[in-house]
Amino acid sequence: MQPTKKITIQDIAESAWVSKSTVSRVLNDSALVNESKRKAVLAAIRRLNYQPNAFARSLAGGRSMTIGVVTQNIGSPFYDSVTQGIIARLSGSNYSPIFVDGQWDQKIETAGIRTLLDRNVDGLILVGGFTDVPTFDQLSSTTPTVVVARELVGRAEHCIYLDNVQAGYDATKFLIDAGHRKIAHITGIKDHQDAARRYAGYKQALADANIEFDPDLVVEGNFVSQSGVLGVETLLLRGVSCTAIFAANDEMAFGARLALYRRGIRVPEDVSIFGFDNQPHSAYMTPPLTTIAQPAALMGESAAEMLLGILQGNPTEQTALKAELVIRESVAHIR
C-alpha cells in the first residue's frame, strides 16, 4: 500500500488558483483576503482533506501552545489529583499539557525541565520538587513558571501551596487533645520542604502543650508505604513506646498500620494513627484513617489559572490554601 501523500499549502494554492501567501492568510484567519478567494481556499481544503500542522503553525506565531508540567510521582494519588486539576483548568484554553516525572530525584527533575524547555513550552508548572529560588528566577526570566504544592520564600506570588507548618501543628494538636503525650512522627524525605514544615508543626504543637520533644520518637521516611513499615519497626527496635503515630502522608500511615498489625498491635486501642493527604483509600483502611485533607485538585486548577493569567498579561494573586481535618476511627481518645 502506498503511503498517503501529505497535502501541502502549495497543493491547496494550486487547487484554488491562488498564491501560497493567500492560503497562509486564510489559515491564519486574516481579514486581508478577498471573500471569493477565501471561499476557494476553504473549498480546496475540504476537497483535499488538508489537516494543518497545529504545532508548526503555533511555532510560526512564536508559541507552542503547550504547558510543561513537572510532577514527582505520577502513580501517587495526591500528585494525580493535582495534575487532574491542571488538566481540567487547561481544558478549553487552547493550551495542552506535557508531563514529565521527577521521581523525587533532583537530577531527574532538572533533566525533565530541560526536556520541556527544549520543546519550547510556553510555560512551566512545577509540582513539588527541589527547584530553589535562584533556579526559579532563572527559569521564570525566560519562561513563565508557577510552583504548586510548595512555597518558595519571597516568590509567593508565583506559588500555590498549603500551610504545611499549620497542618502539621493541627494534626499533632488533635492527637494531644485526644490525650496522647507519646506521639511518634514518621517524616517525609528529609530535604523535602513539605516534610520539614510538617515536622516543624509537630514540634511546635508539642512545645505549646509543654510536652518534651523526644528525638527517638522521630523516624525519617520517604513518602512511600514501605517506609511506614520500616518506621514502625525502627521505633520498636529503639524500644520506645508511643500511643500515637503521626505519619507525614497517608501512604506511610498505611505502611505503619500493616507493621502494627503484623506485630499484633491494635489500632486504635493500643496505638492511634494519623495520616496526611486524605487519599481515597484512607477511608477504607482498617480502621478508616484520620488524616489531613489537602485540596489537591483545587491546587492544580489554581496553578493553571495563575499561569494562564501570567501568559495573558493578567496575573492573579493567591494565598496559602488551608488544610482540613478528616476525623475517622484510627485515633482513640485517652482519658
Side-chain angles (χ1 to χ4, degrees), residues 25-58:
R25 286 196 293 271
V26 172
L27 290 173
N28 290 311
D29 201 23
S30 171
L32 303 177
V33 181
N34 178 277
E35 188 60 28
S36 63
K37 291 184 177 180
R38 181 187 299 277
K39 289 181 179 179
V41 170
L42 293 176
I45 288 173
R46 289 192 296 271
R47 186 164 56 249
L48 297 173
N49 193 28
Y50 173 69
Q51 301 295 324
N53 187 325
F55 184 66
R57 286 174 59 194
S58 62

Side-chain angles (χ1 to χ4, degrees), residues 8-331:
T8 67
I9 290 178
Q10 179 64 45
D11 295 328
I12 297 171
E14 292 176 357
S15 179
W17 294 89
V18 297
S19 66
K20 289 174 61 178
S21 60
T22 297
V23 175
S24 294
R25 286 196 293 271
V26 172
L27 290 173
N28 290 311
D29 201 23
S30 171
L32 303 177
V33 181
N34 178 277
E35 188 60 28
S36 63
K37 291 184 177 180
R38 181 187 299 277
K39 289 181 179 179
V41 170
L42 293 176
I45 288 173
R46 289 192 296 271
R47 186 164 56 249
L48 297 173
N49 193 28
Y50 173 69
Q51 301 295 324
N53 187 325
F55 184 66
R57 286 174 59 194
S58 62
L59 287 181
R63 294 183 298 171
S64 68
M65 303 309 295
T66 58
I67 301 297
V69 182
V70 183
T71 185
Q72 295 303 317
N73 184 350
I74 287 176
S76 161
F78 171 72
Y79 286 103
D80 178 68
S81 294
V82 173
T83 55
Q84 289 300 321
I86 293 170
I87 292 169
R89 180 58 189 90
L90 292 181
S91 176
S93 70
N94 294 323
Y95 285 95
S96 298
I98 301 176
F99 295 93
V100 298
D101 193 338
Q103 301 177 40
W104 290 119
D105 187 302
Q106 188 167 10
K107 291 182 179 179
I108 295 175
E109 177 184 323
T110 300
I113 293 172
R114 291 199 190 102
T115 296
L116 292 170
L117 293 177
D118 287 345
R119 281 154 178 75
N120 298 302
V121 294
D122 294 320
L124 286 170
I125 298 177
L126 309 180
V127 186
F130 300 92
T131 300
D132 56 19
V133 172
T135 303
F136 172 84
D137 289 344
Q138 184 179 4
L139 287 172
S140 60
S141 67
T142 57
T143 306
T145 303
V146 166
V147 177
V148 59
R150 184 162 173 253
E151 179 190 4
L152 291 180
V153 178
R155 304 294 182 272
E157 70 276 12
H158 294 282
C159 301
I160 304 293
Y161 59 95
L162 183 78
D163 187 339
N164 277 285
V165 174
Q166 185 64 51
Y169 184 98
D170 291 344
T172 308
K173 187 175 185 302
F174 180 85
L175 292 170
I176 293 170
D177 290 344
H180 296 276
R181 294 296 180 268
K182 291 286 188 178
I183 303 171
H185 181 42
I186 303 176
T187 74
I189 298 170
K190 181 180 179 180
D191 296 328
H192 189 271
Q193 185 185 80
D194 289 355
R197 293 189 173 189
R198 291 169 197 175
Y199 180 35
Y202 160 79
K203 293 178 69 175
Q204 187 60 52
L206 294 178
D208 288 352
N210 295 316
I211 298 174
E212 184 177 357
F213 170 71
D214 183 353
D216 284 339
L217 286 172
V218 178
V219 180
E220 183 180 347
N222 62 1
F223 290 129
V224 301
S225 300
Q226 182 63 23
S227 67
V229 174
L230 294 175
V232 168
E233 293 298 332
T234 299
L235 291 170
L236 293 173
L237 286 172
R238 288 177 181 173
V240 296
S241 62
C242 65
T243 62
I245 297 173
F246 167 36
N249 78 341
D250 287 352
E251 288 287 334
M252 294 190 297
F254 299 156
R257 173 68 183 93
L258 176 60
L260 293 171
Y261 168 77
R262 287 173 171 170
R263 291 283 190 152
I265 300 171
R266 300 171 300 167
V267 177
E269 293 86 353
D270 300 324
V271 176
S272 295
I273 301 181
F274 197 116
F276 201 109
D277 283 341
N278 193 32
Q279 292 186 13
H281 289 100
S282 64
Y284 301 97
M285 190 182 88
T286 305
L289 181 65
T290 296
T291 184
I292 291 280
Q294 292 198 72
L298 176 60
M299 293 169 77
E301 291 177 16
S302 299
E305 178 73 25
M306 177 181 281
L307 185 59
L308 290 173
I310 295 172
L311 290 169
Q312 296 162 2
N314 185 29
T316 58
E317 293 186 4
Q318 295 285 342
T319 57
L321 300 175
K322 293 183 179 180
E324 178 185 354
L325 283 170
V326 180
I327 302 171
R328 299 194 181 102
E329 294 103 301
S330 66
V331 174

